[in-house]
């Protein structure tokens, strides 16, 4: 509740200008010329970069995400892997290096259901069968795209009914069925079956097969009867799960037969992923799958079912699932990644079953369609996933088969087993791959690339598995016992990203030696400067530009794995929900270390894969006596029936220098809030650090705050010292309110003298927004440990305004839901989080959300949409202390008080806030914002930039001076003296304002900044499916020389000038003497 502020003199910029004017004396005119030039330059965008500087210290890394589908194509010298991911990305990967060749990002929510290669095309089916696309495998260009169904429906009930139809299937037929000369494929989506050409995807016919039944039927799979050429679709009824089949003419799509089984033939699973259609030895088609309860498997003779003579009697058979597998919870058919293997695998009826006790690879018998169990495996630790990653079917000289990759995470060994799917049902182990060392976490998915090699003069088949591990890393494994390459795709899933320091050099001498070792030679420096000059005057060729970029990227000490004095070298730590913790060097984006917290077991011996990791904090453990270490506290939650509220929390302390786990604690509750304790930080105030060493963890269900670490008395003592001033709040968007909480009083144990380890929490205030105000559409708060240089603002007339710097200010925006045109509005609220008091409220008519905002120092900037103007807008609010004793304070008085040491120190409390003066202004802005952030420097001297993530997955930087509410329409002399920019209704966005330059950060998810040790520089990273890093200079590089600055050239220039002056003086003296002698 308490915060302090000290009066300080005018800003450093004003003081520097005034003192310089006094010192220069007679050269006043020159100074004013320079100041005028600086003022004109100051209006330009603060972030600027020449074209030739792009890539010097910024980098962009592209990823795909967690792979779900893969296929292989190409020659032996130019083999590629085509991958689709859960994040909606499709890309091609160079098989030799693992580099990304091309990539396409689908729209949000559009995820690939099937990916396969047919007719020299890459086919994808996405959005549950809605989109069918064909891609060029060479460059990724879209060849054609079709929408198989529309979302339009006559009513909401009809749409909900259609959404229940989840069956999606694509079957390349490999023959020309409709007689147009092109191979065809059969598609199923939402009960509609269509025959399409592979060339342009044009439908020869389309039939509403599910609608042909008299009752509601959910179709799951399609097949082609090889004996008659008829097309068959199979499904189950919605009411009782009875098998249903329909036969169609391949030329016209006309329904020839249909049937639904009756009697006791019910209870089949309505999940389409567990259904297969197999082709028997005599050409009959069998449907296989698992019943709804998972206890039995079924086999349906489709021919008998379609005969319709006995309502399917004798067509359906059931068999119990083996005890070693248990009740089946998940099942999926085994399909191929190319047309031949897909047709063969679909005809075999192969599927993978995951039960309560184990998992198995099964296939349909060729005689009656019953499932035969080929291979069984135990479940992975945790009992939810199969310990083997079974691949899709692939073709080789030895036939069509599948691969199974099993791993030993502790030994770092992966074993690859190849299983052949023979038509006669004989499934045998063809090859067991060599152990692959250094693989890491268990395999989650796998695909097999089979190729021919010559060994001992004979052609043999070799196998290369492409494996997705549990931490989403994509690796290509070789038979030689090594991983050929790996892609850290867990970075594309990272929700939490932060900067951290690198380890210091072992010794000062070692640091100097490293600097000397990487220092560029004279020839490299000279070459760099020559190329830079040519690039600056637009005379450099493309090869010279590439050479210049390469020289700049590898120049100097920026790639060393140790910290530097300026704080430019840092590591970027990223955490994924699965627990993949990865450290990147900000110099080039290379991986320094990685640790998978989701592997192995936790402190209780339970599987760590059960946790979802969603938070990472800077931490300073008690055993770090040097206070020079760098640690992080990682929090994850998992379900636990014995814990409070049914959820437990795992708190892991990680050494960020090595990635090793130093502490692992499991707490029997879900930590909803982590509240750092100021008393613990003040105890070690002599060690400058923004990390916490103790905190209170608030139980989400038990209304209790627990001191953490639980084993150290320092945490309990710090919590007891801070108990009266600790408060927190929650934003409940469902109930449309804010609630504030505090700690109930607690006393020291009289017997032991120990402070309490936990405190009961109580609600202290609430702020509910009425329906007419609207729902919460955005909120923002100040970051912890905000650095503020001065709490005053000096105006042009040398008077001052005192900033209101309370750290408890929270911004909340509300807007009515589904408001009609002309009645929409956005209301902005400034609320004190300690007391719940509304400090200010303003309503923006003709506006709607979502609202994105940032709170910094004494100002708030927020972005919304103006419905009347049809464009985006930004507003800014600035808060000033309007107390009587603050009004009219002159900057001279404050400067004198500062010089004589009579600084005013005043304690300001949220319980008794001063009267506030709020200034506001609104502007139009062109980019649509998806998120907002701001820059902070080490000491708060450098001006701020508002960073805005745009709808185009880029980041734009707006100088805070453009968002000044005091910008005048007609600047006066005082306004010009203060440096206010004249008001314009549109905020300018310059080409140099785009922080990400020409790059896009696909599916932009977050913006993170961190101050460097050098005051002018801010480190920036944007993350999503990609990572982009650069340095920002909001007020330009006023405290450093350019990295290409040549000291030798400066010395040579000065010596040449001195020599020239000496020679010129001698010549002038000689000439003067000759003139006098005349």
């Amino acid at each position: 509740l308490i915060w302090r502020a000290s009066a300080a003199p005018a800003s450093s910029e004003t003081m520097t200008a005034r003192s310089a004017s006094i010192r220069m004396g007679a050269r006043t005119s020159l100074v004013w010329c320079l100041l005028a030039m600086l003022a004109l330059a100051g209006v330009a965008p603060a972030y600027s970069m020449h074209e030739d500087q792009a890539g010097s210290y910024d980098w962009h890394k592209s990823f795909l995400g967690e792979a779900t589908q893969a296929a292989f194509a190409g020659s032996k010298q130019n083999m590629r892997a085509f991958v689709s991911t859960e994040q909606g990305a499709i890309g091609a990967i160079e098989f030799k290096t693992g580099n990304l060749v091309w990539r396409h990002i689908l729209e949000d929510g559009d995820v690939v259901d099937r990916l396969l290669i047919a007719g020299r095309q890459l086919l994808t089916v996405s959005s549950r069968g809605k989109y069918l696309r064909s891609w060029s495998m060479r460059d990724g260009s879209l060849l054609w795209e079709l929408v198989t169904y529309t979302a339009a429906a006559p009513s909401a009930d009809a749409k909900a009914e259609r959404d229940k139809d989840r069956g999606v299937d694509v079957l390349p037929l490999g023959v020309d069925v409709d007689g147009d000369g092109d191979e065809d494929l059969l598609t199923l989506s939402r009960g509609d079956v269509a025959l399409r050409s592979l060339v342009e995807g044009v439908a020869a016919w389309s039939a509403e097969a599910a609608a042909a039944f008299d009752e509601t039927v959910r179709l799951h799979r399609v097949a082609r009867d090889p004996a008659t050429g008829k097309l068959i679709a199979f499904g189950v009824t919605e009411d009782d799960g009875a098998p249903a089949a329909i036969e169609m003419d391949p030329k016209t799509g006309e329904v020839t037969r249909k049937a639904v089984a009756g009697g006791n033939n019910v209870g089949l699973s309505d999940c389409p992923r567990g259904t297969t259609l197999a082709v028997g030895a005599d050409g009959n088609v069998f449907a296989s799958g698992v019943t709804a309860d998972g206890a039995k498997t079924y086999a349906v003779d489709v021919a008998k079912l379609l005969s319709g003579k006995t309502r399917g009697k004798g067509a359906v058979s059931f068999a119990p699932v083996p005890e070693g597998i248990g009740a089946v919870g998940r099942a999926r058919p085994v399909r191929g990644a190319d047309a031949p293997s897909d047709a063969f695998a679909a005809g075999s009826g192969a599927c993978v079953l995951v039960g309560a006790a184990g998992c198995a690879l099964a296939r349909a018998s060729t005689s009656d369609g019953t499932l035969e169990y080929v291979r069984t495996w135990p479940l992975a630790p945790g009992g939810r996933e199969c310990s083997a990653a079974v691949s899709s079917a692939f073709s080789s000289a030895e036939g069509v088969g599948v691969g199974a990759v099993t791993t030993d995470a502790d030994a770092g060994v992966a074993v690859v087993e190849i299983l052949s799917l023979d038509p006669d049902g004989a499934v045998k182990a063809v090859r067991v791959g060599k152990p692959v060392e250094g693989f890491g976490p268990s395999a989650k998915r796998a695909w097999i690339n089979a190729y021919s090699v010559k060994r001992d003069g004979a052609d043999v088949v070799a196998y290369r598995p492409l494996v997705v591990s549990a931490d989403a890393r994509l690796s290509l494994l070789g038979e030689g016992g090594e991983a050929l390459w790996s892609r850290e795709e867990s970075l594309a899933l990272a929700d939490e990203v932060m900067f951290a320091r690198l380890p210091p050099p072992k010794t000062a001498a070692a640091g100097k030696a490293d600097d000397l070792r990487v220092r560029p030679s004279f020839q490299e420096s000279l070459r760099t400067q020559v190329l830079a000059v040519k690039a600056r005057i637009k005379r450099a060729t493309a090869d010279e530009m590439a050479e210049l970029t390469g020289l700049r990227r590898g120049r100097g000490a920026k790639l060393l794995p140790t910290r530097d004095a300026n704080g430019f070298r840092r590591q970027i730590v990223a955490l994924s929900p699965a627990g993949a913790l990865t450290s990147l060097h900000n110099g080039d984006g290379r991986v320094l270390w990685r640790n998978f917290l989701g592997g192995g077991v936790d402190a209780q011996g339970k599987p760590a894969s059960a946790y979802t990791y969603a938070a990472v904090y800077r931490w300073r453990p008690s055993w770090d006596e040097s206070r020079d270490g760098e640690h992080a506290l990682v929090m994850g939650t998992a379900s636990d029936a014995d814990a409070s509220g049914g959820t437990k929390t795992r708190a892991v302390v990680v050494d960020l220098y090595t990635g090793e786990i130093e502490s692992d604690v499991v707490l029997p509750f879900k930590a909803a809030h982590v509240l750092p304790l100021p008393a613990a930080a003040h105890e070690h105030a002599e060690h400058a650090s923004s990390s916490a060493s103790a905190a209170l963890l608030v139980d989400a269900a038990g209304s209790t705050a627990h001191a953490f670490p639980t084993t150290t008395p320092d945490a309990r003592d710090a919590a007891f010292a801070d108990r009266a001033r600790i408060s927190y709040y929650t934003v409940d968007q469902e109930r449309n309110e804010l609630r504030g909480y505090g700690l109930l009083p607690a006393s020291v144990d009289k017997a032991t003298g120990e402070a309490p380890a936990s405190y009961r929490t109580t609600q202290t205030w609430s702020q509910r927004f009425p329906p007419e105000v609207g729902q919460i559409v955005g909120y923002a708060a100040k970051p912890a440990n905000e650095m503020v240089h001065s709490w005053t603002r000096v105006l042009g007339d040398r008077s001052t305004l005192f900033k209101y710097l309370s750290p408890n200010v929270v911004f909340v925006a509300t807007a009515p839901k589904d408001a009609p045109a002309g009645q929409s509005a956005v209301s902005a609220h400034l609320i004190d989080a300690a007391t719940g008091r509304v400090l200010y409220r303003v309503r923006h008519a003709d506006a709607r959300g979502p609202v994105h905002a940032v709170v910094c120092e004494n100002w708030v900037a927020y972005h919304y949409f103006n419905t009347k103007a049809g464009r985006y807008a930004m507003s800014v609010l600035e808060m000033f202390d309007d107390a009587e004793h603050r009004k009219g304070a002159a900057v001279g008085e404050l400067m004198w008080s500062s010089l004589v040491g009579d600084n005013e120190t005043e304690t300001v409390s949220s319980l008794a806030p001063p009267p506030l003066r709020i200034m506001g202004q609104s502007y139009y802005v062109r980019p649509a914002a998806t998120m907002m952030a701001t820059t902070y420097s080490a000491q708060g001297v450098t001006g701020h930039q508002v960073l805005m993530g745009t709808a185009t997955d880029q980041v734009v930087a707006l100088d805070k001076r453009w968002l000044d509410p005091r910008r005048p329409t007609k600047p006066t002399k005082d306004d010009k003296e203060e440096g206010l920019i004249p008001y314009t209704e549109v905020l300018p966005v310059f080409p140099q304002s785009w922080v990400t330059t020409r790059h896009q950060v696909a599916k932009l998810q977050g913006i993170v900044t961190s101050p460097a040790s050098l005051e002018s520089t801010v480190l920036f990273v944007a993350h999503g499916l990609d990572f982009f890093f650069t340095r920002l200079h909001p007020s330009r590089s006023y405290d450093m020389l350019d990295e290409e600055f040549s000291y030798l050239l400066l010395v040579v220039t000065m010596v040449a000038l001195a020599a020239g002056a000496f020679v010129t003086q001698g010549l002038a003296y000689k000439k003067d003497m000759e003139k006098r002698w005349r």
Side-chain angles (χ1 to χ4, degrees):
L1 298 179
I2 307 299
W3 54 277
R4 291 179 176 270
S6 299
S11 64
S12 59
E13 293 87 348
T14 303
M15 292 182 62
T16 303
R18 290 174 62 88
S19 60
S21 177
I22 295 172
R23 288 195 304 264
M24 295 304 291
R27 289 173 285 180
T28 304
S29 59
L30 178 60
V31 171
W32 281 112
C33 289
L34 292 174
L35 290 177
M37 293 173 62
L38 290 174
L40 290 174
V43 180
Y47 178 85
S48 61
M49 178 186 293
H50 292 284
E51 181 182 358
D52 61 284
Q53 292 178 320
S56 297
Y57 46 75
D58 62 288
W59 48 262
H60 177 255
K61 299 287 184 181
S62 297
F63 301 97
L64 291 169
E66 184 174 348
T68 56
Q69 308 275 342
F72 308 101
S75 62
K76 185 179 297 185
Q77 293 76 20
N78 192 27
M79 179 66 66
R80 290 180 178 179
F82 302 94
V83 176
S84 65
T85 67
E86 286 185 357
Q87 288 67 40
I90 303 171
I93 299 175
E94 178 64 42
F95 222 61
K96 292 182 180 179
T97 62
N99 295 331
L100 195 60
V101 180
W102 57 261
R103 181 187 68 172
H104 285 283
I105 308 298
L106 304 180
E107 295 182 358
D108 291 340
D110 191 7
V111 180
V112 174
D113 305 310
R114 283 290 309 278
L115 179 145
L116 72 159
I117 296 173
R120 297 183 180 181
Q121 301 176 53
L122 180 66
L123 298 179
T124 60
V125 182
S126 60
S127 291
R128 294 169 59 179
K130 182 177 182 179
Y131 299 106
L132 178 63
R133 299 181 177 96
S134 173
W135 310 86
S136 168
M137 293 188 290
R138 181 179 62 85
D139 57 6
S141 58
L142 183 63
L143 301 179
W144 50 263
E145 177 184 34
L146 293 174
V147 179
T148 60
Y149 65 87
T150 62
S155 65
D157 294 338
K159 183 180 185 303
E161 182 68 21
R162 291 189 62 180
D163 289 342
K164 295 180 181 178
D165 218 329
R166 296 172 293 170
V168 176
D169 198 8
V170 176
L171 181 66
L173 301 178
V175 295
D176 177 20
V177 176
D178 57 1
D180 62 352
D182 301 319
E183 292 185 9
D184 298 316
L185 72 155
L186 198 61
T187 64
L188 167 67
S189 61
R190 295 214 173 178
D192 295 346
V193 179
L195 182 72
R196 301 182 181 275
S197 170
L198 269 177
V199 177
E200 296 181 353
V202 178
W205 52 260
S206 179
E208 296 181 354
F213 294 92
D214 297 330
E215 52 188 309
T216 303
V217 173
R218 308 299 182 193
L219 297 179
H220 293 175
R221 292 284 176 262
V222 290
R224 180 174 179 267
D225 190 334
T228 63
K230 299 288 187 179
L231 304 180
I232 297 173
F234 176 83
V236 299
T237 60
E238 184 181 40
D239 294 336
D240 53 7
I246 186 171
E247 183 184 74
M248 292 172 289
D249 184 275
K251 298 289 186 180
T252 63
E254 180 182 355
V255 176
T256 55
R257 291 188 296 174
K258 61 181 179 179
V260 177
N264 297 325
N265 301 319
V266 295
L268 276 62
S269 174
D270 63 348
C271 178
R273 293 183 62 83
T275 306
T276 62
L277 278 179
V279 179
D282 55 356
N284 290 336
V285 177
F286 299 98
S288 304
V290 184
T291 57
D293 58 6
K296 294 181 291 184
T297 62
Y298 66 84
V300 180
D301 189 326
V302 177
K304 288 184 179 180
L305 177 63
L306 288 173
S307 65
K309 297 179 180 179
T310 57
R311 283 188 54 80
K313 185 178 181 180
V316 185
S317 61
F318 295 91
V321 176
E323 294 183 359
I325 299 176
V328 176
R330 295 188 309 279
R332 67 172 178 87
V334 174
R335 300 295 293 268
D338 56 76
S341 62
D342 184 64
F344 189 93
S348 70
C351 61
V352 177
L353 307 178
V354 181
C359 53
L361 170 67
R363 62 155 292 148
S365 170
T366 58
S367 59
D368 57 7
T370 58
L371 290 182
E372 299 174 343
Y373 297 94
V374 178
R375 182 81 162 82
T376 59
W377 299 275
L379 294 178
R384 296 188 300 177
E385 303 292 340
C386 184
S387 60
V390 182
S391 74
S392 57
F394 63 91
S395 302
S396 69
E398 296 177 344
V400 178
V402 298
V405 180
T406 56
T407 58
D408 183 347
D410 296 332
V413 173
V415 177
V416 183
E417 187 177 15
I418 305 300
L419 305 172
S420 176
L421 300 177
D422 291 334
D424 58 0
V427 182
K428 57 184 179 180
V430 174
R431 187 184 306 278
V432 177
K434 298 179 180 179
V436 179
E437 301 292 340
F439 175 65
S442 59
K444 191 173 182 179
R445 300 182 187 90
W447 301 271
I448 304 298
N449 171 243
Y451 62 102
S452 297
V453 295
K454 280 195 174 293
R455 291 177 181 170
D456 299 329
D459 290 332
V460 297
V461 180
Y463 305 94
R464 291 179 293 198
L466 183 66
V467 180
V468 178
S469 56
D471 59 353
R473 182 169 53 169
L474 185 65
S475 303
L476 181 66
L477 309 183
E479 285 195 328
E482 76 282 350
L484 302 180
W485 51 258
S486 295
R487 291 181 56 87
E488 298 295 341
E489 296 296 340
S490 63
L491 293 170
L493 282 65
D495 289 334
E496 296 292 323
V497 176
M498 73 174 190
F499 284 94
R501 295 182 302 171
L502 289 168
K506 294 182 179 180
T507 62
K512 292 182 179 180
D514 288 338
D515 289 338
L516 291 174
R517 177 172 54 84
V518 299
R519 182 174 298 175
S521 64
F522 175 77
Q523 291 82 358
E524 290 176 340
S525 299
L526 182 61
R527 179 62 176 170
T528 301
Q529 293 186 21
V530 171
L531 292 176
V533 171
K534 293 182 66 176
R536 197 65 54 87
I537 62 176
K538 308 294 185 182
R539 290 295 182 269
T541 64
D543 293 339
E544 289 176 333
M545 290 293 294
E547 181 184 358
L548 177 61
T549 302
L551 289 172
R552 282 174 167 170
R553 282 185 181 274
R555 180 186 59 218
K558 68 177 182 179
L559 302 182
L560 292 176
T562 55
R563 71 179 65 158
D564 61 318
N566 292 329
F568 291 161
R569 294 198 300 267
R570 299 284 180 88
Q571 57 177 317
I572 303 171
V573 181
L575 174 68
S576 72
L581 193 64
T582 309
S583 171
L584 304 178
H585 195 294
N586 71 339
D588 56 358
R590 71 182 185 275
V591 175
L592 296 176
W593 54 261
R594 63 188 316 278
N595 194 344
F596 183 49
L597 304 181
V601 296
D602 60 13
Q604 293 180 336
K606 302 293 182 64
S609 58
Y611 292 90
T612 299
Y613 300 87
V616 57
Y617 305 92
R618 296 183 182 276
W619 194 254
R620 189 177 65 251
S622 57
W623 58 81
D624 184 14
E625 298 180 357
S626 66
R627 307 292 173 182
D628 196 36
E630 196 80 353
H631 299 80
L633 174 64
V634 181
M635 311 285 285
T637 57
S639 299
D640 188 347
D642 298 329
S644 172
T647 305
K648 61 182 178 181
T649 299
R650 185 187 186 193
V652 183
V653 177
V654 179
D655 185 349
L656 295 183
Y657 291 164
T658 61
E660 297 179 356
I661 296 177
E662 295 195 348
S663 173
D664 190 354
V665 179
V666 177
L667 306 172
F669 59 88
K670 179 181 179 180
H673 299 271
V674 178
L675 309 176
L677 296 173
H682 293 161
E683 181 183 353
H684 306 286
E686 67 277 7
H687 304 284
S689 175
S690 60
S691 306
S693 60
L696 281 174
L697 306 184
V698 180
D699 186 352
S703 299
T704 307
H706 304 267
F708 181 83
T710 57
T711 57
T712 60
D714 293 342
R716 296 193 295 268
D717 294 340
F720 187 75
D722 293 329
R723 67 191 185 282
R725 54 177 175 173
I726 288 294
S727 65
Y728 64 96
Y729 67 97
T730 60
V731 180
D732 191 341
Q733 291 186 275
E734 292 183 358
R735 299 181 59 182
N736 205 36
E737 69 174 349
L738 272 70
R739 295 186 294 272
Y741 299 87
L743 306 182
L744 291 175
S747 58
V748 175
D749 191 310
K750 296 182 179 179
T752 62
E754 293 183 351
S758 62
Y759 298 82
R760 297 291 297 175
T761 62
T762 182
Q763 182 175 325
T764 57
W765 61 267
S766 67
Q767 184 67 243
R768 175 171 289 187
F769 299 99
E772 56 269 18
V773 174
Q775 295 181 329
I776 298 176
V777 293
Y779 59 91
K782 285 189 176 184
N785 303 317
E786 182 183 50
M787 182 63 67
V788 179
H789 173 65
S790 174
W791 73 319
T792 60
R793 175 169 180 173
V794 180
L795 307 184
D797 60 359
R798 293 299 183 263
S799 63
T800 56
L801 292 175
F802 288 80
K803 302 175 184 178
Y804 183 69
L805 298 174
S806 170
N808 301 318
V809 175
V810 177
F811 169 84
V812 180
T814 59
K817 184 179 181 181
D818 301 327
Q823 298 182 17
S824 60
V826 169
S827 298
H829 312 262
L830 299 180
I831 299 175
D832 192 303
T835 62
R837 180 182 285 108
V838 177
L839 303 175
Y840 184 74
R841 181 183 291 121
V842 63
R843 182 178 182 271
H844 300 277
D846 300 315
R848 62 173 171 83
V851 177
H852 303 280
V854 61
V855 184
C856 177
E857 291 192 3
N858 69 317
W859 54 270
V860 180
Y862 50 101
H863 179 284
Y864 54 92
F865 185 77
N866 188 300
T867 56
K868 184 177 181 180
R871 57 202 303 190
Y872 292 97
M874 287 186 69
S875 294
V876 60
L877 300 174
E878 288 196 7
M879 299 166 285
F880 295 97
D881 188 338
D882 203 33
E884 287 296 330
H885 64 287
R886 304 260 187 242
K887 295 180 179 179
V891 64
E893 298 176 1
L894 298 177
M895 292 180 63
W896 175 254
S897 299
S898 177
L899 292 174
V900 300
D902 188 21
N903 283 346
E904 177 187 357
T905 301
E906 181 179 349
T907 299
V908 182
S909 172
S910 290
L911 299 176
L916 297 181
R917 179 183 178 186
I918 308 297
M919 298 181 182
Q921 186 61 271
S922 297
Y923 306 90
Y924 292 120
V925 64
R926 291 182 178 87
T930 57
M931 63 191 65
M932 290 180 67
T934 187
T935 60
Y936 292 91
S937 61
Q939 301 300 325
V941 177
T942 301
H944 295 281
Q945 282 182 331
V946 175
L947 305 175
M948 185 168 59
T950 68
T952 58
D953 290 335
Q954 294 176 290
V955 179
V956 63
L958 297 175
D959 196 309
K960 173 57 178 63
R961 293 175 296 174
W962 293 103
L963 286 165
D964 193 328
R966 298 181 60 250
R967 287 175 59 185
T969 54
K970 295 182 179 181
T972 63
K973 181 180 179 181
D974 290 339
D975 295 335
K976 295 177 181 179
E977 174 72 14
E978 188 179 346
L980 295 178
I981 303 173
Y983 174 80
T984 54
E985 67 174 9
V986 180
L987 293 174
V989 178
F990 302 97
Q992 299 89 345
S993 300
W994 296 95
V995 177
T996 49
T997 60
R998 67 182 185 277
H999 300 289
Q1000 286 182 295
V1001 182
K1003 295 189 180 293
L1004 179 64
Q1005 186 173 352
I1007 298 172
V1008 181
T1009 63
S1010 177
S1013 301
L1014 205 63
E1015 177 62 23
S1016 66
T1017 307
V1018 178
L1019 306 180
F1020 165 93
V1021 64
H1023 66 94
L1025 205 57
D1026 303 339
F1027 267 66
F1028 178 85
F1029 168 83
T1030 190
R1031 299 180 194 168
L1032 300 179
H1033 305 283
S1035 298
R1036 302 185 183 273
S1037 305
Y1038 57 83
D1039 55 357
M1040 63 177 292
L1041 293 173
D1042 187 79
E1043 292 185 1
E1044 295 176 1
F1045 184 82
S1046 175
Y1047 294 93
L1048 178 60
L1049 183 60
L1050 175 63
V1051 172
V1052 171
T1053 302
M1054 293 179 65
V1055 171
L1057 289 174
F1062 181 78
V1063 172
T1064 303
Q1065 182 182 13
L1067 293 176
Y1069 178 77
K1070 181 179 180 181
K1071 185 175 182 180
D1072 184 61
M1073 290 297 294
E1074 292 178 350
K1075 184 178 179 180
R1076 289 178 181 273
W1077 276 107
R1078 290 177 185 174

